[in-house]
Amino acid sequence: MPCKIAVIGGGWYGCHIASSLMALGFSVRIFEQNDRLLHEASGNNQFRLHLGFHYPRHAGTRIQSRDGFSRFIERYNDLSLPVGENIYAVPRQTSLIDYDTYKLIMTATGIPYKSIETCSMDLRNIDGMMKADERVILIEKARHYFSTHLRQVLSLGVKIKSVDHTNHSVTVNGEKFDYMIDATWGHFSPIQIETFFEPTLLLYFEAEEGLPAVTFVDGPLYSIYPTEEKTIYTLSSVPHTPLGRYRSIDEARSVRDNADKSLIEMKLDLMTQQALENVPNFRDQYKFLGPQLSIKTKPVGNSDDRSCYVGKSGRIFTVMSGKIDTIFFATERILSMIEADHGDVPRDVPSSLLTTIRAKATEIGISVR
Ligand SMILES: Cc1cc2nc3c(=O)[nH]c(=O)nc-3n(C[C@H](O)[C@H](O)[C@H](O)COP(=O)(O)OP(=O)(O)OC[C@H]3O[C@@H](n4cnc5c(N)ncnc54)[C@H](O)[C@@H]3O)c2cc1C
């Protein structure tokens, strides 16, 4: 298959897709506008390797997470660490669902968990809680891994400005390719599903090493999650982390870049008040360190869909996902569409099972269609 492929964007998607295509023998170039990889959403998030517990309202997202979790560990074993004590707690008054419903959904999805009565953190107003095996993604190590692994095909500090597209090729900043993969999370070319851009504010806190990760589900709740630095934690809140919804990336960037001290102090106060509803010692245990500002691209809708989208228009693929674990799903969708273009996937050949049945039927004198 004569394929030269341009990948735009050096986030988790661009890096993983480029690296997988290279391993399969494709000729790849990857372009990133910043001077380092994993610089935007991929380097500014909660660093959680999800298993699906966040998404009781979206089956497709849970299933992709569950599958992506084990594949991530298999492929990038050194790029994440287990979280010692990882708790999902359902608050009594503020959750949209009760604990028994939450458990039924996770059981039906085949996601392993253990119901628990207590945990090492003092929690209040809880209907029920479970322990689960999620992990922390090691962002510095991941950046180093991809920078080394992709160095011969990587162009850093190169912003893609022009793309010309014919039936047979795509010309990217003047260079001709067979395919282009837009892995910019919707920042470069429009996505064919309705999305919006959401500037976000997470808060970093310092606390003693080994405190549990606690996520309160489901609905307008919040989570405290460790980072790769043993004494640093993030606090993310569904109602308070977003800084608005915008149709254009430029508006979202402007809000992110203009977040000032008063906004951050206001958010710190709101998020602390929220955390105190269930974690009475929050103020004593966690010392505020600073903000993390980023941008999410989200599909319109209330079901919390964070599943992976891969679109194709001629020779251009567009990839978007609300989580890192679907990098494998995205790569496979791209590969299957490239194969289909090249006719490598036989479509009209009867299956060998059908051939065998027909042969047997003919042998014993039964007429078959
Ligand atoms: C606050 C927050 C918390 C999150 N928490 C988690 C979590 O805990 N776990 C999880 O799995 N996911 C989480 N996510 C989602 C996750 O970060 C994203 O799904 C993922 O990082 C998307 O990766 P990406 O490679 O598609 O995009 P990005 O990381 O944004 O990469 C896109 C790259 O494209 C580059 N680019 C854009 N335009 C151009 C151009 N014209 N030319 C060249 N380069 C260009 C950008 O510079 C960027 O580096 C979170 C996101 C946010 C914002």
Side-chain angles (χ1 to χ4, degrees), residues 275-313:
L276 287 168
E277 287 174 19
N278 309 102
V279 187
N281 298 330
F282 184 82
R283 244 191 254 279
D284 302 328
Q285 280 183 307
Y286 296 89
K287 182 172 155 272
F288 178 58
L289 284 180
Q292 179 215 77
L293 289 150
S294 192
I295 297 176
K296 277 187 187 180
T297 312
K298 281 184 173 171
V300 172
N302 290 326
S303 65
D304 241 6
D305 180 3
R306 298 283 184 282
S307 53
C308 183
Y309 166 84
V310 179
K312 182 171 182 286
S313 169

Side-chain angles (χ1 to χ4, degrees), residues 8-14 31-34 39-50 137 158-160 183-185 187-188 200 202 241 253 292 294-296 321-325:
I8 319 302
W12 263 105
Y13 280 80
F31 301 93
E32 166 55 48
Q33 65 186 355
N34 292 294
H39 186 74
E40 304 254 339
S42 294
N44 293 291
N45 60 66
Q46 211 175 16
F47 311 117
R48 181 193 302 253
L49 184 58
H50 282 275
I137 296 173
V158 176
K159 181 169 180 148
I160 298 306
T184 65
W185 212 21
H187 294 189
F188 178 64
T200 58
L202 286 191
T241 286
R253 276 198 186 117
Q292 179 215 77
S294 192
I295 297 176
K296 277 187 187 180
S321 168
K323 284 175 300 76
I324 292 155
D325 50 63

Side-chain angles (χ1 to χ4, degrees), residues 50-69 97 101-111 218 303-307 323 325-326:
H50 282 275
L51 237 177
F53 289 99
H54 258 55
Y55 305 100
R57 276 171 281 151
H58 201 271
T61 306
R62 285 196 303 283
I63 290 163
Q64 286 186 4
S65 252
R66 181 198 66 192
D67 297 347
F69 181 84
I97 55 175
T101 306
Y102 185 67
K103 272 197 306 188
L104 283 173
I105 292 170
M106 294 310 147
T107 306
T109 316
I111 303 181
D218 177 48
S303 65
D304 241 6
D305 180 3
R306 298 283 184 282
S307 53
K323 284 175 300 76
D325 50 63
T326 45

Side-chain angles (χ1 to χ4, degrees), residues 234-254:
T234 50
L235 173 63
S236 172
S237 158
V238 174
H240 304 309
T241 286
L243 302 176
R245 290 179 162 210
Y246 299 91
R247 285 280 168 196
S248 85
I249 180 61
D250 289 336
E251 285 173 289
R253 276 198 186 117
S254 155

